[in-house]
Amino acid sequence: PAKSGPWTVLFTGHIDNAAWAAHELGLAPPHPGDRHALAQLYGLALQKWREQADIRLVGEYAAIAFDGQAQRLRLARSPLRAPPLHYFSDPARVIASTVVRAIHGCGVERRINPDKLADAAWFNYSDEARGWFKGLRRVPLGSVTELTPGGETSRSFYDPEAIPRQ
């Protein structure tokens, strides 16, 4: 993980406009594939651009950012294509990972979600956040999910319908 201000960041994927973003944020351009540098860049983007960070960063990524002071876990996936990002939360714990087996390895029961199975049988993909296993959720593409002791919020930051027409 990389530490950037209040954020501890785990990052996977790539940022296509990392050189531009680094210049805007006053950093040296990260070496392609340096996940630690990309995690630092992402954390600094969160500090400076806040909720606009993900719309300014272009690429294919999944990011987990934790603000210990605010007790806030922020999960984000880039639009169009991104690594998966799964999470589980109950009153005692929150677990997030790009792979489901890591969440099950933390003791979360492995039971197929019959609602997801039924949706798949009928090609109903309306709830992209529903996971294949009971109790697990997924962060949809182009979305940010935040978990705090007060609850969970999710918002889509990318809408291709909102692109201005020429």
Side-chain angles (χ1 to χ4, degrees), residues 59-72:
E60 293 180 16
Y61 63 85
I64 300 172
F66 179 65
D67 179 347
Q69 289 178 325
Q71 290 296 293
R72 177 170 65 157

Side-chain angles (χ1 to χ4, degrees), residues 55-93:
I55 202 70
R56 290 179 179 223
L57 298 173
V58 177
E60 293 180 16
Y61 63 85
I64 300 172
F66 179 65
D67 179 347
Q69 289 178 325
Q71 290 296 293
R72 177 170 65 157
L73 184 68
R74 185 181 191 279
L75 310 172
R77 287 180 72 205
S78 58
L80 305 181
R81 289 185 53 169
L85 191 50
H86 310 274
Y87 65 97
F88 170 85
S89 68
D90 66 15
R93 62 192 171 164

